[in-house]
Amino acid sequence: MDEMIPIKLAEFFKILSDQTRLKILMLLSKKECNVSEIQASIGTSQSTVSHQLRILRQANLVKYSKVGKKVFYQLYDKHVSVIINFAIEHLLEGDGKIA
Amino acid sequence: MDEMIPIKLAEFFKILSDQTRLKILMLLSKKECNVSEIQASIGTSQSTVSHQLRILRQANLVKYSKVGKKVFYQLYDKHVSVIINFAIEHLLEGDGKIA
DNA sequence: ACTAAACATGAACATATATTCATAAAAGAG
DNA sequence: CTCTTTTATGAATATATGTTCATGTTTAGT
């Protein structure tokens, strides 16, 4: 079981290692959004947003609900945003360097 | 400045998104090690360890000191191990899923 | 029924990444 | 000085990844 930890951990961090996905997660940590809103907020193509949302869905980091033509996404739970905020705090402690 | 956060954050998580690097960091969070010890502990080639150590060095996540022929690595500071442990705790709260 | 809006998906492409292999560099042993 | 140990590095390769482009699907409006 213990040997699975680095594997699972790497999978988890890999999902957080992309700007687009991070922007989506940080946006959803503030409020539920539909795809168009996400697209407008982070400023990339609709296709890219949808592709990245799929990855976030498959990792159970987000869930969605359809309302008419629109699909609203929200964080699956608070775990991710807590970890992201935690990382931000610690990153800001170091001045210029990455950590 | 604020727009740099997702970028820096993604860079940071990208470094944590590899099994080999995570194993190295988790090992170094317990004790200082030289390259041979790291290699033996995580069970991969010397070349791979050196390559990944270089990435960790460039990200300022580890520092080293030479003692004779050996090079001892340690974590640059506690930030990384805190974040990793934090992520582990939160990952373990979810049962099977990745988060 | 037709059209437009909102979203998803597949293929293609370019780029990034990790490992392996071979070799170099540094330092101690004899 | 020569040989071995320890570590680093460069090139090559295979694989993974993110975006774009084109198209499909669903739903609403008229």
Side-chain angles (χ1 to χ4, degrees):
Chain A
M1 313 292 174
D2 221 35
E3 328 83 35
M4 291 299 292
I5 290 189
I7 296 175
K8 290 295 176 188
L9 213 47
E11 287 177 12
F12 174 66
F13 284 131
K14 190 163 295 183
I15 294 182
L16 300 184
S17 70
D18 176 74
Q19 286 186 45
T20 303
R21 287 191 294 271
L22 276 178
K23 289 177 186 171
I24 294 174
L25 293 173
M26 291 170 77
L27 177 62
L28 295 181
S29 73
K30 297 178 198 151
K31 67 182 195 68
E32 188 181 37
C33 292
N34 63 41
V35 179
S36 299
E37 290 171 331
I38 296 173
Q39 177 188 354
S41 174
I42 73 178
T44 151
S45 76
Q46 178 265 321
S47 184
T48 292
V49 172
S50 272
H51 278 299
Q52 299 305 333
L53 280 172
R54 188 158 71 97
I55 293 176
L56 294 174
R57 250 163 28 217
Q58 291 172 340
N60 282 311
L61 293 187
V62 299
K63 56 187 173 183
Y64 64 96
S65 54
K66 305 184 66 170
V67 179
K69 284 182 298 187
K70 301 186 177 179
V71 179
F72 286 86
Y73 281 84
Q74 55 182 310
L75 296 186
Y76 194 91
D77 55 36
K78 283 296 174 191
H79 285 168
V80 204
S81 65
V82 172
I83 291 178
I84 290 176
N85 288 327
F86 196 75
I88 290 177
E89 288 175 25
H90 280 264
L91 280 182
L92 294 182
E93 289 182 16
D95 15 298
K97 54 192 181 57
I98 194 178
Chain B
M1 314 288 174
D2 222 34
E3 327 84 36
M4 292 299 293
I5 289 187
I7 297 175
K8 290 295 175 188
L9 213 47
E11 287 176 12
F12 174 65
F13 284 131
K14 189 163 296 183
I15 293 181
L16 300 184
S17 70
D18 176 75
Q19 285 185 47
T20 303
R21 286 191 294 271
L22 276 177
K23 288 177 186 169
I24 294 175
L25 292 173
M26 292 169 76
L27 177 62
L28 294 183
S29 72
K30 296 179 198 147
K31 68 181 194 68
E32 188 181 39
C33 292
N34 63 39
V35 179
S36 299
E37 289 171 333
I38 297 173
Q39 177 187 356
S41 174
I42 75 180
T44 159
S45 76
Q46 179 266 321
S47 184
T48 291
V49 173
S50 272
H51 278 299
Q52 299 305 332
L53 281 173
R54 187 158 71 99
I55 294 176
L56 294 175
R57 247 163 31 214
Q58 291 172 339
N60 282 310
L61 294 185
V62 300
K63 55 187 173 183
Y64 63 96
S65 54
K66 304 187 65 170
V67 179
K69 283 182 299 188
K70 301 187 176 178
V71 179
F72 286 87
Y73 280 85
Q74 56 182 310
L75 296 186
Y76 192 92
D77 55 36
K78 284 296 174 190
H79 285 167
V80 204
S81 65
V82 171
I83 292 179
I84 290 176
N85 288 328
F86 196 74
I88 290 177
E89 288 176 24
H90 280 264
L91 280 181
L92 293 182
E93 289 182 15
D95 15 301
K97 57 189 177 62
I98 195 182

